[in-house]
Amino acid sequence: MPRFPKAAFLQTAFLAALLLVAVPAPNAAQAWQGDAPVEPGQTFTARVVEVTDGDTYDVRRSLGGEVTIRLHGVDAPESAQPYGRAATRAARRYVGGKDVRVAVEEIGRYGRAVARVEVQGGDLGAMLIRDGLAWHYREYAPNETGYRRLQRQARNAKRGLWSQSNPVPPWEWRDRTSGPGETSAEDRDCSDFDTQPEAQRFFKRHQPGDPHNLDGDGDGEACESLPGG
């Protein structure tokens, strides 16, 4: 039997080792995708797992990982404002538990992805503005002429919040109550949440501490009296 030259054997073994290092195992590739950062310009599919309010959502990406989304060019009334909870209910009806397409415009000052959200071919921001349940946020999206047109139509028809004689834009309301800032959050209590897991996610996002006093006994579990607690 011919003998395999020692040098050739070593060279073959070396090449095989290189291939093992260069080609990651499937699990390693999936883990990298799941940890991939969200950046402006990205588009991805996701499932909405929580609707915090009319314009803020938590989504789970199809490639892994949860992301907090703030709607681009849209500002819904805060929960304590008139029509704030109506906006939240409408958003839940439109996207709660559903698969959506997210197009990231920028990363906000508090790390949230400012993005457009499309559900079943429709633009969520446009739906909320059309219903009179959100404002066109002109300061951050001055070129969204479609949103401007829909807002004018809703105002003329006195739909939703426009049925009020003098509705207060949420950015002015935040300046009066919470201080300025694109992501200032009004005070919350357990009645603002439908389930304990929803309250728990909000509680964790606002660590350290418990600025909204959702954890009365200090055991790290928020609003334990709610369903699912």
Side-chain angles (χ1 to χ4, degrees):
M1 177 181 295
R3 299 182 62 187
F4 195 83
K6 183 176 181 181
F9 173 80
L10 292 175
Q11 183 179 22
T12 302
F14 178 73
L15 290 173
L18 282 179
L19 286 173
L20 287 173
V21 172
V23 180
N27 288 342
Q30 291 167 6
W32 180 86
Q33 289 179 339
D35 295 336
V38 176
E39 298 176 348
Q42 284 185 346
T43 300
F44 55 84
T45 56
R47 174 157 295 185
V48 177
V49 296
E50 180 186 345
V51 175
T52 302
D53 54 31
D55 53 41
T56 307
Y57 321 100
D58 285 349
V59 304
R60 182 176 296 113
R61 294 186 294 175
S62 57
L63 54 74
E66 287 195 10
V67 180
T68 299
I69 302 295
R70 173 67 161 80
L71 277 186
H72 166 73
V74 175
D75 204 1
E78 301 292 345
S79 297
Q81 288 187 267
Y83 288 89
R85 296 193 182 187
T88 302
R89 289 194 298 269
R92 284 181 179 143
R93 185 171 66 252
Y94 283 134
V95 298
K98 296 181 181 178
D99 293 329
V100 298
R101 187 169 183 82
V102 177
V104 181
E105 295 285 336
E106 60 179 314
I107 304 301
R109 70 188 73 179
Y110 293 99
R112 300 186 303 183
V114 180
R116 301 174 186 273
V117 174
E118 184 179 293
V119 57
Q120 297 178 344
D123 180 270
L124 177 58
M127 295 176 188
L128 294 171
I129 294 173
R130 177 199 63 201
D131 293 345
L133 295 174
W135 271 261
H136 168 213
Y137 208 168
R138 294 183 63 177
E139 180 181 353
Y140 290 94
N143 298 321
E144 291 291 346
T145 56
Y147 286 177
R148 191 184 315 160
R149 174 177 51 82
L150 288 169
Q151 177 171 298
R152 183 171 59 250
Q153 292 173 352
R155 183 174 61 242
N156 291 341
K158 298 187 183 300
R159 285 196 293 266
L161 62 90
W162 300 110
S163 63
Q164 304 170 92
S165 59
N166 189 28
V168 177
W171 53 87
E172 291 184 9
W173 188 90
R174 287 192 295 268
D175 285 347
R176 297 174 188 177
T177 60
S178 305
E182 174 252 336
T183 57
S184 296
E186 76 279 6
D187 189 33
R188 299 290 184 91
D189 59 37
C190 291
S191 66
D192 290 316
F193 304 96
D194 294 327
T195 66
Q196 193 277 331
E198 180 185 351
Q200 186 69 16
R201 285 191 290 267
F202 182 87
F203 171 72
K204 286 184 177 179
R205 286 202 307 274
H206 291 80
Q207 297 292 304
D210 183 15
H212 298 271
N213 296 313
L214 301 178
D215 179 17
D217 56 8
D219 66 350
E221 298 292 325
C223 303
E224 293 171 89
S225 62
L226 289 176

